[in-house]
Amino acid sequence: MDVADIPGVPDWLPERLTADGIESLYPPQAEAVEAGVTQGENLVASVPTASGKTLVAILAMLSSVERGASGAADGDAAASGRRGKALYIVPLRALASEKREEFEQFEQYGLDVGVSTGNYESEGGWLARKDIIVAT
């Protein structure tokens, strides 16, 4: 599947992927898209290391944010200014920092990325303003 054919993702994403050298999806990634990962469908991806699971997660996260807070059910969430949320969970603090840095590339497109690793006490309200949250 060509990256230009991925449904439900922000308009800027296919161009960004192409600039990063990704012109087409690996078979497991294409299968995830065909299974509806960019349309809000649930998915368990059990594929080997370095087979593209993070990109599948990115597609799911960005499509969720793009669909809006209430999904497609109430119409045009983008016009109302509401966005959806995405939560990316990792087992280690170091990995959370790494993924936060990786996902911060999306801030140039107006998305807010936050990280919460449980290593400090916080009331947590600031996370409500984030589009993508990386957590342990």
Side-chain angles (χ1 to χ4, degrees):
M1 173 181 288
D2 187 75
V3 295
D5 298 328
I6 302 171
V9 295
D11 294 337
W12 52 263
L13 184 61
E15 185 176 318
R16 174 65 192 230
L17 293 173
T18 301
D20 288 344
I22 303 170
E23 295 180 7
S24 62
L25 300 178
Y26 291 146
Q29 296 167 330
E31 289 176 27
V33 171
E34 290 165 4
V37 75
T38 60
Q39 305 299 318
E41 295 296 325
N42 294 325
L43 175 76
V44 174
S46 178
V47 291
T49 300
S51 60
K53 292 183 294 289
T54 298
L55 182 55
V56 171
I58 288 170
L59 296 175
M61 291 186 307
L62 295 178
S63 66
S64 175
V65 172
E66 182 78 0
R67 277 193 312 279
S70 59
D74 86 336
D76 193 2
S80 70
R82 292 176 293 152
R83 296 212 275 216
K85 302 265 184 217
L87 180 61
Y88 190 93
I89 304 210
V90 296
L92 304 169
R93 289 179 183 162
L95 189 53
S97 294
E98 179 183 310
K99 290 302 178 182
R100 182 202 64 227
E101 289 174 15
E102 180 180 343
F103 299 155
E104 282 177 344
Q105 68 178 314
F106 304 132
E107 289 183 342
Q108 67 181 307
Y109 302 104
L111 299 177
D112 285 325
V113 177
V115 64
S116 178
T117 59
N119 57 343
Y120 59 89
E121 290 189 29
S122 171
E123 49 81 31
W126 64 276
L127 285 174
R129 295 183 298 276
K130 303 298 181 182
D131 299 307
I132 297 173
I133 301 163
V134 181
T136 52

